[in-house]
Amino acid sequence: MPRPIEALIHTEALAHNLGRARAQAPNARVWAVVKANAYGHGIERAYPGLRAADGFALLDLAEAERLRALDWRGPILLLEGVFEPRDLELCSRLKLWHAVHCEQQIDWLAMHKTHEPHRVFLKLNSGMNRLGFAPAAFRAAYARLDALPQVDEIGLMTHFSDADAPRLGADGIAHQLAAFEAAAEGLAGERTVANSAATLRHAARTANDWVRAGIMSYGGVPDFPEHDAAHWDLKPAMTLRSKIIGVQPLQPGDTVGYGSAFTAERAMRIGIVACGYADGYPRHAPTGTPVLVDGARTRTLGRVSMDMLAVDLGELPASGFGSEVTLWGEGPRGARLPIDEVAHAAGTIGYELMCAVAPRVPMRSDGNA
Ligand SMILES: *Cc1c(COP(=O)(O)O)cnc(C)c1O
């Protein structure tokens, strides 16, 4: 008998969330961003729910190959472009579109031998200072690409640092959008600037030819806790669930787990859940992190250990050994625990939790698209 923990991927939720990106940006095409193995959901498991996308965006060439192996014939965009010259051969063979963010990538293209001219997206560093050409170098880079026989179409892209919330003393996306519009003015090509946060919060200004829907496709909220999944009408694409494998009655003064980080003030019952940080549950989740037992909301107690964590059964007399525990996602009887709430309690973001589910957790799709 394997441990009772498992992760379920909800095909219908993925399709619903992708539809939300479309509804926000009805005149744009939608990239489903499936980097990091579809944000931990698994490319193959997520694909049935996301196949209505206009394209898939990711970073890893091996992941692009997996999408082609699923028989996806449409656009695939490498968001960071190629990492070495021979990657361009795979781009030619698999018809991958790729970002071009630095001079080296143009040098490599210029030396690349291909009968299949490439479609590229030239990336502007509009202020995030991660990847991309500086505004002053953007037009020269465009002209270089435009002169290459290896390139047939050039799109234009940038990425926002603060689409989820205005930074104190700054203006959110306005300065980056202005930099992009100035740099792109008069240049032919499709535009893409919006991530999930921009698609949800600033679609009127940012939904151009393509939007790049990452976290929202999985039902995660980029601007939690200002807004939650219900506000944006997003559904969890992943449920992490397990069972109670032990019950302990506590007397006042009894403590729970390593470091005795929780002390009972009164007599109570606790449940021990087969889920720990080696499953990807955040070790930093403190006492009080929300969790569902038999669909009812309760809290974690004490430190998360490698394979187990403790939950409060004080208000749940009918629950105990064998009860179903929802760490995040969809619980029994319509109960739901957004991953964002768990992440927030643990001082991180839903993105990190969904990407971190450990390989030892069996993961499967519920498969009804
Ligand atoms: C990851 C990524 C996205 C998607 O971001 P979300 O916040 O998950 O929507 C969009 N664009 C680029 C360039 C990215 O790297």
Side-chain angles (χ1 to χ4, degrees), residues 33 35 39 57 59 79-80 123 130 157-160 192-199 211-218 222 351:
V33 181
K35 64 191 181 191
Y39 289 48
L59 318 173
L79 289 164
E80 296 181 354
K123 183 159 187 175
R130 228 168 42 170
M157 70 185 289
T158 197
H159 192 56
F160 295 121
T192 176
V193 300
N195 56 2
S196 296
T199 303
V211 297
R212 308 190 298 265
I215 193 70
M216 68 178 294
S217 304
Y218 306 98
Y351 295 74

